[in-house]
Amino acid sequence: MSIEDARVEERHTEADARSWGEVLGPGLITGAADDDPSGIGTYSQVGAQFGFSLAWIMVFSYPLLVATQLICARIGAVTGHGIAHNLKRHYPRPVLWFAVVLLLVANTINLGSDLGAMAAALNLLLPGPTMLYVALFGGISVLLEVFVSYARYTRILKWSALSLLAYILVPFVAQLSPSEVLRGVLVPQLSFDRQTSMAVIAALGTTISPYLFFWQAGQEVEEQHRLHKHPLGVFPRAAGPGLARMRTDTVLGMGVTSVTALFIVIATAATLHAHGINEVASADAAASALRPIAGDLSFLLFAVGIIGIGLLAVPVLAGSAAYALSETFGWTEGLDRKPHEAKAFYAAIVVAVLGGVALNLIGIDPMQALYWTAVINGLLAPPLMIMTMLAASNPKVMGRLTLPPLLKLGGWAATAVMILVSAMFLLS
């Protein structure tokens, strides 16, 4: 290494150290977006249908989620490019197209479900035309993502994550049996009938979701642009602080989503299931059902949380689709760019949101699709996870920063679990 390279590497390390106060970023936003209205509806259904008996899945899935998202983040941070770009550069085109098409299908359904759930939740608080609310939330999401600066926009997303506190508070205003909760969390209970298989793949599918893979990788690249840093792979000897920051951010961010999901299951198990309500058609239906059982406060917290986290999740869904398409076609990309600098990228965001709005117009009821959205994500995740693992383990992609043994073991374990659960559902 030349003297100049060593100096640059030293400056790169110092920059990472100075940015330690900004540790929480892509991981926190990604983790919060994981508990989108579709996820809320899924976790509510699991709690209502099975009580506390499947609560252990939220604990079991946490290390799998951390490993998966940390690998995706590592790809973005090390290479300076998103997942689709790396697939395009190093693998046959059919592999790229397969991954992107799967993502677009899952995201469109997810967007429609989330916008519909947000509109229905607002309708519970402020009765009015649901389709107008769908268009309103879609428009707000697009305007924020397109016209607000990246630095300010990420701050908005971080604050939006506080809406998840609503779900952590709900169980405290409901009557709980600590022994039942602990048994459900610590003692795995599982049968292999169709309903249970569907619940397991829905819970894991809404937790380990394809759009999160592309989003967190893209956000790591955005952070490097914002802080004017090189990709970690340029100076691998100086990558330690950057990888540590990313690891802390991801571990804490995925902890947020897992704890929130667990509390949603506990809240609906202690209220809806305990009172014989075993079917929840949507997230807003869960909020509405809570009202006569747990009171107005639980109802309000649940409904407001759906809207707040939806405003975070919809831009993440649309943004992940835009990243994938831009990397596939070589478009200029990035939320740190002005709209006129990345027209196709921002157009993709607009089209993705419009696709979600359209699902609410053409007779497909996104509210009924919430649970199936999670199932679809669960079925689509395994092939995308395999591609991600191959890319992150390839020295041609990652240089000297391929996956360490423990993270590789965690990534393949998560992939194996998703394959096993998908097979269990398809064969049940």
Side-chain angles (χ1 to χ4, degrees):
M1 178 185 294
S2 67
I3 294 177
E4 183 60 29
D5 283 345
R7 289 173 178 169
V8 172
E9 186 171 334
E10 183 179 356
R11 289 197 297 271
H12 192 62
T13 304
E14 291 173 354
D16 277 327
R18 288 196 299 270
S19 69
W20 186 252
E22 300 181 357
V23 164
L24 296 181
L28 175 64
I29 294 170
T30 303
D34 198 7
D35 286 322
D36 65 331
S38 174
I40 294 166
T42 300
Y43 300 136
S44 299
Q45 177 59 37
V46 169
Q49 186 173 359
F50 297 94
F52 300 109
S53 64
L54 294 184
W56 61 271
I57 294 176
M58 304 303 105
V59 179
F60 172 75
S61 65
Y62 172 64
L64 306 180
L65 177 62
V66 169
T68 301
Q69 290 304 131
L70 192 54
I71 289 166
C72 296
R74 190 182 182 99
I75 290 174
V78 169
T79 67
H81 296 288
I83 291 173
H85 177 94
N86 282 291
L87 292 178
K88 177 182 178 180
R89 185 176 177 184
H90 297 283
Y91 295 95
R93 286 302 173 93
V95 173
L96 170 67
W97 281 107
F98 182 66
V100 172
V101 169
L102 290 184
L103 176 73
L104 295 179
V105 169
N107 278 23
T108 301
I109 298 172
N110 225 137
L111 276 165
S113 299
D114 286 354
L115 289 169
M118 294 161 65
L122 181 58
N123 194 49
L124 293 175
L125 303 174
L126 184 66
T130 302
M131 277 310 307
L132 177 62
Y133 291 159
V134 169
L136 175 66
F137 285 129
I140 290 173
S141 299
V142 167
L143 290 174
L144 287 174
E145 200 159 9
V146 174
F147 294 107
V148 176
S149 69
Y150 175 73
R152 183 175 298 174
Y153 182 64
T154 53
R155 286 197 295 271
I156 292 172
L157 292 181
K158 288 179 187 179
W159 282 107
S160 296
L162 290 176
S163 60
L164 291 174
L165 291 174
Y167 300 107
I168 296 176
L169 294 174
V170 169
F172 293 101
V173 296
Q175 294 183 344
L176 292 175
S177 168
S179 61
E180 286 188 48
V181 173
L182 287 175
R183 190 182 307 114
V185 171
L186 300 177
V187 182
Q189 301 176 52
L190 185 63
S191 60
F192 296 95
D193 59 274
R194 178 78 173 175
Q195 284 188 325
T196 304
S197 298
M198 186 174 180
V200 172
I201 193 172
L204 289 174
T206 200
T207 302
I208 304 176
S209 297
Y211 72 92
L212 301 176
F213 309 166
F214 290 81
W215 171 262
Q216 191 165 355
Q219 284 296 286
E220 289 293 341
V221 178
E222 295 274 13
E223 283 294 291
Q224 290 177 348
H225 293 167
R226 183 176 71 86
L227 299 172
H228 306 289
K229 294 183 180 180
H230 295 288
L232 299 183
V234 174
F235 303 109
R237 292 184 182 178
L243 292 174
R245 190 276 312 160
M246 186 175 64
R247 183 166 53 250
T248 301
D249 181 27
T250 303
V251 167
L252 292 177
M254 301 312 127
V256 168
T257 190
S258 296
V259 168
T260 304
L262 177 61
F263 272 80
I264 293 172
V265 172
I266 291 173
T268 51
T271 53
L272 306 184
H273 181 80
H275 287 77
I277 300 175
N278 303 123
E279 292 294 331
V280 177
S282 62
D284 67 290
S288 185
L290 279 172
R291 192 172 207 162
I293 298 171
D296 287 343
L297 181 57
S298 294
F299 160 77
L300 181 63
L301 288 171
F302 219 85
V304 169
I306 292 167
I307 296 169
I309 205 60
L311 287 172
L312 187 155
V314 167
V316 171
L317 282 158
S320 65
Y323 281 127
L325 287 171
S326 297
E327 291 162 8
T328 298
F329 293 108
W331 300 337
T332 301
E333 64 177 286
L335 294 170
D336 62 330
R337 297 183 181 275
K338 302 293 184 183
H340 69 273
E341 297 174 334
K343 295 179 182 178
F345 173 77
Y346 285 109
I349 290 174
V350 173
V351 170
V353 174
L354 287 176
V357 172
L359 282 181
N360 292 268
L361 289 170
I362 61 177
I364 298 176
D365 185 357
M367 307 310 295
Q368 297 295 325
L370 282 170
Y371 202 56
W372 276 102
T373 298
V375 173
I376 291 169
N377 276 326
L379 294 173
L380 297 183
L384 291 174
M385 293 170 74
I386 291 172
M387 295 177 201
T388 301
M389 287 301 302
L390 293 175
S393 303
N394 188 345
K396 292 182 179 179
V397 178
M398 304 291 286
R400 291 164 54 187
L401 296 175
T402 53
L403 298 179
L406 186 59
L407 185 55
K408 181 182 288 189
L409 177 63
W412 281 119
T415 304
V417 167
M418 292 303 292
I419 292 172
L420 180 62
V421 170
S422 298
M424 183 178 75
F425 169 73
L426 293 173
L427 295 174
S428 63

